[in-house]
Amino acid sequence: MKKRTTVIDLINVTSISNSAIFNIGDTQQTNQKFRGIAIQEESAYSTPPKEEDFADYPIFQREANFMMNEVSVNKEHSHHAPTIRVGQISVIGVSSSSIMQAGNLNSINAEARLKHFRKLKG
């Protein structure tokens, strides 16, 4: 596929976190990985604080089950202009192994794993 130049007049991004990328320009390949443990407690004093460890949860040890590219698609592109022109982009948030890309991206491999649980009284 023929590459094109992207022209953006204004980009407003409010928040970027947790292994996320905001990229302006061309990228050949990107690999993002995010692992997180989120604990919601009913009361701040319900249990004594404890450090959590990724090894305690099997979700972080399992092999990822990525989709296989088994279907071949023939396609043809007809670009009428050498540039992609955008007036304004507004993004609230980019998070958890995701990417906000302004430009060409050849290959992406992204993985996010989050163990979320609640600790209730009693």
Side-chain angles (χ1 to χ4, degrees):
M1 178 173 71
K2 192 186 259 188
K3 302 286 185 183
R4 296 191 290 169
T5 302
T6 303
V7 178
I8 302 169
D9 294 333
L10 176 67
I11 297 177
N12 180 20
V13 179
T14 304
S15 176
I16 299 174
S17 65
N18 299 341
S19 183
I21 295 173
F22 172 61
N23 189 43
I24 299 173
D26 297 342
T27 301
Q28 180 64 31
Q29 180 178 359
T30 181
N31 296 301
Q32 291 119 247
K33 191 173 206 175
F34 170 76
R35 297 186 319 164
I37 297 174
I39 302 170
Q40 182 180 9
E41 294 193 59
E42 190 171 359
S43 170
Y45 304 102
S46 63
T47 58
K50 176 190 174 243
E51 281 291 319
E52 299 294 334
D53 190 61
F54 292 118
D56 294 339
Y57 303 99
I59 190 171
F60 298 111
Q61 277 67 46
R62 291 194 305 232
E63 284 290 321
N65 188 13
F66 293 111
M67 295 182 349
M68 303 304 288
N69 293 335
E70 295 180 9
V71 178
S72 178
V73 177
N74 294 324
K75 59 184 177 177
E76 184 177 320
H77 297 272
S78 178
H79 300 306
H80 300 287
T83 61
I84 300 169
R85 183 153 193 93
V86 178
Q88 179 177 341
I89 297 174
S90 182
V91 178
I92 295 172
V94 183
S95 179
S96 299
S97 191
S98 59
I99 185 168
M100 166 44 200
Q101 174 79 27
N104 296 301
L105 177 61
N106 207 29
S107 175
I108 182 171
N109 184 17
E111 178 182 347
R113 295 183 188 208
L114 178 64
K115 174 68 177 170
H116 183 267
F117 55 92
R118 293 183 173 98
K119 290 184 178 178
L120 302 175
K121 289 182 184 177

